[in-house]
């Protein structure tokens, strides 16, 4: 009994300690000149510490009564409720609700403070912001989730319907209130807060509806998604596309969002009398509606009837609509730039979210058609097509496959048409951080994830790629032969070839080593390359590095492309690289070599005994990974224009490994997601926490991830099985082998 | 065969009919001698069993035959498939009259010469499906490279299809078709043993080395296994080298037996001869109690 008390006491203390740590983490970390302990005192000796201690106690209770709590956590509706709660909290606490410096600048709390006493806003809006009851929106929110949680616990559908109604009310009310502020201020607004809150409440509402309609059953999110997406392949995409199209045309701004904020209805008037071409004037007048209706109708028919020919028709209509939209957008934005509308100097500037959303919608609708058109013929009839792990050989695959395909289309549409609507800051981040590291992570995933070789010197190949570009573009002290002056894009094959060789050169002597030893040697290799770059002044120009690496150009017959300063241009170049590499690697993963990599990773001796030439297979992993890194290096050098050894420090190698592990080792989508999230997070946190706290929060996120989702964000099928299946394997073995028979 | 009758030495028939010709092999680990002066030969098409008490050196012999270990002395010649020339497994790099370094052919090279094996403690690729495990074996005989895989070349697709078909065939052969898309790690113990055999067969071997394939399986599975081994031997014309502790199983399927004890070969002959051989009986009875019991359990 006393032992029990002791463990409980320990646990309680640990939880309270965690509360204190949280209290310290949230808020400023720095002392000041007169009082170095200022931050600590502010965090701990302040009434707000009680909130954090309360969190600790709650955690303690949750842990102690876990066996009692756990069955509720797996019930239907819990996960969407958590997701919805998270997005509403993020929207209320973190995101901006207003752009305008007029009334307020920033988050909901400041906006509410200003808006609740502004008489120009209707009383409905002011009520939401708390004119009668301060913080009403938080109260509504807590009520809604409390109701939903109660419904999950006691399984009363009346409660669930109540929660659904309340969340719809709170979501819509908030959205309307925000619209009122917008119309009162008369100024354009690009804040996302109200929108995210609406989505969050929609998720909570759907969770509540789920609770109301399924009594007490276990949640089966995967099966649920499979059912939705497998029911009529492409249909969910049709719904998403249609919603996006309506949003893009009826809600979002089309032109000059910071000045005129014209909607699609105002476009014709705005450009009346200007020399836009015939297509554009038709487009702005009526063609856009025809295209919209046509692609929605065809995609709807194709996905509903699951008719292959209609599917192709939908692809065609979507593509044509996209093309015409882009042509018109180019035309009117160029005319506007000629007229210096809103400070524009070249085409594509000042186009609002609406036009880009419509483009994304056309892409998604075409994608819906494509899913129908490419739907596999009845898979059960085909005995040798690959099937997902664990499926009975006689059941058709299809379902989760449809989900993956749909996600692919949505991600592609987002990657194509979100960046133009982002701010310059985010566009730069997208290119220099997110995109570049995604490419690197995809390359390292081959080495670490697939072949299981821990490479801590990966950035060296990035450096080699960059310096190769600098050499071939004649910006290093050593000059290439004059017939070998190349534009950066022409340097790609050379950089890839050199990195292949470098990968083999590093791999050959080191591949006898395993695990930690290999990691140390590769780490040394990375440092050697960097130090050589610093010290070999006559070749690399030492610590100053190379300057004036030219920007990429393409002259291909009639096609002349020249990259300039605009990050957006580089984003599309990078996107092409990423898509090509990912497509090639996807094939590789499911090829002979991909399986051989998995075999070597799982059991090298068995792989050898099965005839796999392990040295060759590992060298190929090194070489292919290295060449991807080299490609990223070429891009980096020509995008940034100057390189020096400081760009290639050990820390970057470790970061790439972290991205791959975070995303899910051995999973392509995981490597992409991991790199994207972990490069996005620090930039996102810039606006949320003090600069000196940033690393701490990133560390906390990684820590939580590794505790609660050790296989990564999007675990690889093969790896996930390895992680969860391994103890099963070994226990089966040890149970079955009589003692003393192991080798 | 005429050549056989011409040969005066019955234990060493002409080389063309010998799959493995092992002469005077000695393998030491520091002070431990796992194999001392072992000579044996394996005829084409036979099921040869290697038996002996625990620690006798059976697995060490397998590892020497497949290039995992390099014996310090002796020679091993291999001609796994019909019509193959005899190839040395152990290579000496010579410098004039001096033997500089002795190494074994790499395990995967020996596999490509037509030797497949299974392991005493199952070594599958647990995170791959059963089908993929077999495909790994089949595909080591294919030629398409990474570039054609990335570009999805037609010949690569054809090879992929062929390997899947062959893998299904082999899974059918060992009776695992229904588990094709399950992870190897999630199969039952007996199924894992059979999957290992299927993976080995995927490399189209001339000889297969099975290290205690019946360990840890139940009597019904043992019967199936005996049938499977016979089928491999007769239908596929594959020579089988078998380590097994279960005497009943060994005596029922082996054509010949070799008995090892403390790293030495103490007997060789037909099952009847071995059962009567006094040295063998002494080796099994002269050991400690529990192994005694094991041997009795095996013959009972
Ligand atoms: N890698 C090694 N290093 C050191 N000693 C080894 C090694 N491999 C085998 N041995 C030794 O060689 C001897 C023979 O072992 P081996 O595994 O070949 O026996 P076995 O006949 O297969 O026995 P069992 O029936 O238990 O499988 C043992 O004494 C063992 O300890
Ligand atoms: Mg053994």
């Amino acid at each position: 009994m006393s032992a029990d008390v002791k463990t409980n006491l320990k646990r309680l203390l640990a939880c309270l300690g965690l509360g204190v740590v949280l209290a310290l983490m949230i808020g400023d970390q720095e002392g000041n000149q007169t009082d170095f302990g200022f931050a600590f005192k502010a965090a701990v000796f302040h009434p707000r510490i009680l909130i954090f201690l309360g969190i600790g106690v709650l955690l303690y209770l949750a842990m102690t009564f876990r066996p009692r709590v756990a069955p509720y956590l797996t019930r239907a509706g819990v996960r969407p409720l958590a997701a919805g709660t998270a997005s509403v909290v993020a929207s209320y606490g973190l995101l901006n609700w207003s752009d305008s410096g007029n009334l307020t600048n920033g988050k909901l709390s400041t906006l509410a403070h200003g808006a609740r006493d502004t008489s120009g806003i209707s009383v409905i809006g002011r009520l939401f912001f708390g004119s009668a009851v301060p913080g009403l929106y938080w109260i509504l929110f807590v009520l809604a989730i409390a109701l939903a949680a109660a419904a999950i616990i006691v399984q009363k559908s009346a409660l669930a319907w109540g929660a659904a109604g309340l969340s719809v009310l709170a979501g819509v009310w908030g959205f309307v209130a925000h619209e009122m502020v917008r119309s009162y201020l008369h100024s354009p607004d690009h804040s996302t807060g109200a929108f995210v809150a609406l989505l969050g409440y929609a998720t909570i509402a759907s969770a509540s509806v789920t609770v109301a309609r399924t009594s007490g059953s276990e949640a089966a999110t995967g099966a649920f998604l499979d059912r939705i997406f497998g029911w009529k392949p492409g249909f969910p995409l049709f719904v998403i596309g249609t919603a996006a199209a309506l949003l893009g045309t009826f809600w979002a701004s089309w032109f000059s969002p910071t000045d005129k904020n014209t909607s699609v209805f105002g476009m014709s008037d705005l450009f009346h009398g200007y020399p836009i071409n015939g297509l554009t004037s038709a487009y702005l007048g009526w063609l856009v509606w025809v295209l919209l209706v046509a692609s929605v109708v065809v995609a709807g028919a194709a996905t509903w009837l699951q008719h292959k020919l209609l599917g192709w028709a939908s692809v065609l209509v979507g593509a044509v609509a996209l093309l015409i939209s882009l042509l018109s957008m180019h035309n009117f934005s160029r005319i506007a730039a000629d007229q210096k509308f809103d400070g524009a100097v070249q085409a594509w500037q000042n186009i609002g979210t609406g036009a880009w959303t419509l483009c994304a919608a056309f892409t998604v609708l075409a994608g819906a058609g494509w899913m129908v058109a490419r739907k596999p013929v009845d898979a059960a009839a085909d005995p040798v097509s690959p099937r997902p792990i664990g499926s009975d050989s006689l059941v058709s695959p299809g379902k989760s496959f449809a989900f993956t395909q749909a996600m692919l289309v949505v991600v592609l549409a987002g990657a194509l048409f979100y960046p133009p609507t982002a701010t310059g800051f985010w566009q730069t981040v997208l290119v220099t951080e997110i995109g570049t590291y995604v490419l690197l992570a995809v390359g390292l995933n081959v080495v670490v994830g697939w072949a299981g070789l821990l490479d801590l010197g990966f950035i060296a190949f990035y450096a080699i790629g960059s310096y190769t570009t600098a050499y071939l573009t004649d910006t290093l002290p050593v000059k290439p032969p004059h017939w070998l002056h190349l534009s950066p894009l022409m340097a790609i094959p050379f950089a890839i070839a050199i990195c292949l060789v470098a990968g083999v050169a590093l791999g050959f002597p080191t591949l006898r080593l395993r695990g930690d030893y290999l990691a140390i040697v590769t780490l040394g290799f990375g440092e050697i390359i960097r130090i050589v770059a610093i010290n070999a002044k006559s070749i690399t120009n030492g610590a100053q590095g190379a300057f004036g690496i030219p920007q990429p150009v393409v002259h291909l017959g009639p096609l002349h492309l020249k990259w300039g300063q605009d990050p957006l241009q580089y984003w599309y170049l990078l996107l092409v690289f990423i898509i090509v590499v990912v497509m090639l690697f996807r094939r590789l993963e499911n090829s002979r070599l991909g399986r051989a990599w998995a075999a070597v990773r799982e059991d090298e001796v068995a792989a050898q005994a099965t005839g796999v030439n392990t040295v060759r297979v590992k060298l190929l992993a090194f070489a292919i990974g290295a060449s991807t890194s080299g490609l990223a290096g070429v891009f980096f050098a020509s995008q940034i224009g100057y390189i020096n050894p400081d760009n290639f420090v050990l820390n970057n190698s470790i970061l790439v490994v972290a991205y791959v592990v975070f995303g899910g080792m051995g999973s392509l989508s995981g490597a992409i997601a991991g790199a994207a999230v972990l490069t996005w997070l620090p930039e996102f946190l810039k606006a949320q926490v003090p600069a000196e706290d940033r690393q701490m929060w990133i560390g906390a996120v990684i820590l939580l991830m590794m505790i609660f989702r050790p296989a990564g964000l999007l675990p690889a099928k093969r790896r996930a099985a390895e992680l969860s299946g391994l103890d099963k394997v070994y226990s089966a073995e040890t149970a079955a082998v009589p003692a003393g028979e192991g080798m | 065969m005429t050549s056989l009758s011409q040969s005066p030495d019955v234990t060493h028939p002409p080389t063309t009919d010998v799959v493995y010709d092992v002469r005077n092999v000695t393998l030491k680990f520091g002070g431990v001698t796992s194999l001392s002066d072992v000579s044996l030969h394996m005829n084409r098409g036979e099921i040869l069993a290697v038996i002996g008490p625990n620690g006798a050196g059976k697995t060490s012999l397998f590892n020497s035959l497949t290039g995992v270990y390099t014996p310090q002395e002796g020679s091993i010649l291999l001609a796994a498939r019909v019509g193959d020339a005899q190839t040395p497994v152990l290579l000496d790099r010579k410098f004039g009259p001096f033997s500089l370094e002795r190494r074994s052919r790499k395990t995967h090279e020996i596999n490509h010469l037509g030797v497949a094996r299974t392991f005493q403690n199952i070594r599958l690729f647990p995170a791959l499906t059963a089908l993929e495990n077999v495909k790994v074996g089949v595909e080591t005989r294919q030629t398409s490279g990474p570039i054609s895989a990335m570009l999805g070349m037609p010949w690569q697709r054809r090879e992929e299809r062929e390997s899947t078909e062959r893998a299904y065939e082999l899974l059918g052969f060992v009776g695992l078709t229904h588990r094709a898309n399950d992870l190897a790690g999630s199969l039952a113990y007996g199924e894992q043993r059979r999957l290992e055999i299927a993976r080995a067969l995927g490399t189209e071997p001339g000889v297969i080395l099975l290290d205690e394939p019946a360990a840890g399986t139940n009597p019904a599975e043992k019967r199936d296994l005996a049938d499977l081994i016979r089928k491999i031997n007769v239908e596929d014309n594959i020579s089988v080298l078998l380590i097994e502790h279960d005497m009943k199983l060994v005596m029922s399927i082996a054509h010949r037996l070799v008995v090892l004890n403390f790293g030495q070969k103490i007997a060789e002959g037909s099952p009847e001869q071995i059962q009567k051989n006094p040295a063998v009986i002494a080796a099994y009875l002269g050991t400690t109690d529990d192994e005694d019991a094991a041997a009795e359990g095996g013959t009972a």
Side-chain angles (χ1 to χ4, degrees), chain A residues 57 85 152 174 248 271 279 295 355 472 489 621 627 671:
Chain A
V57 171
T85 307
I152 289 172
F271 283 95
L279 180 71
S295 54
L472 291 174
L489 291 185
S627 54

Side-chain angles (χ1 to χ4, degrees), chain A residues 390 587 592 595 609 718 721, chain B residues 111 132 139 142 144 150 181:
Chain A
R587 289 225 180 94
R592 187 177 162 237
R595 274 183 292 272
R718 283 175 185 159
Chain B
N111 176 275
E132 287 176 317
E139 284 161 357
Q142 298 184 332
S144 64
M150 287 199 270
N181 293 302

Side-chain angles (χ1 to χ4, degrees), chain A residues 383-384 389-391 393 584 587 590-592 595 599 602-603 606 608-613 718 721 729 736-737 741 743, chain B residues 59 108 111-112 120 123 125-129 132 135 137 139-140 142 144 149-150 160 164 181 183 185 189 203 215-216:
Chain A
V384 295
I389 291 166
S391 71
S393 344
L584 296 183
R587 289 225 180 94
N590 291 311
S591 76
R592 187 177 162 237
R595 274 183 292 272
E602 297 274 298
D603 191 329
Q608 282 171 345
T610 316
V612 177
N613 184 346
R718 283 175 185 159
V729 176
V737 186
E741 266 193 5
M743 186 167 99
Chain B
T59 301
H108 72 90
N111 176 275
H112 279 256
Q120 181 173 356
R123 301 187 82 147
F125 311 124
L128 296 184
T129 63
E132 287 176 317
K135 275 174 69 112
E139 284 161 357
T140 55
Q142 298 184 332
S144 64
M150 287 199 270
E160 178 79 32
T164 309
N181 293 302
L183 293 175
Y189 196 74
T203 64

Side-chain angles (χ1 to χ4, degrees), chain A residues 252-274:
Chain A
S253 115
W254 267 62
F255 193 70
S256 195
T258 51
D259 193 11
K260 304 192 170 56
N261 209 21
T262 319
S263 78
V264 66
F265 303 100
M267 290 296 280
S268 262
D269 291 340
L270 186 68
F271 283 95
H272 188 76
Y274 287 104

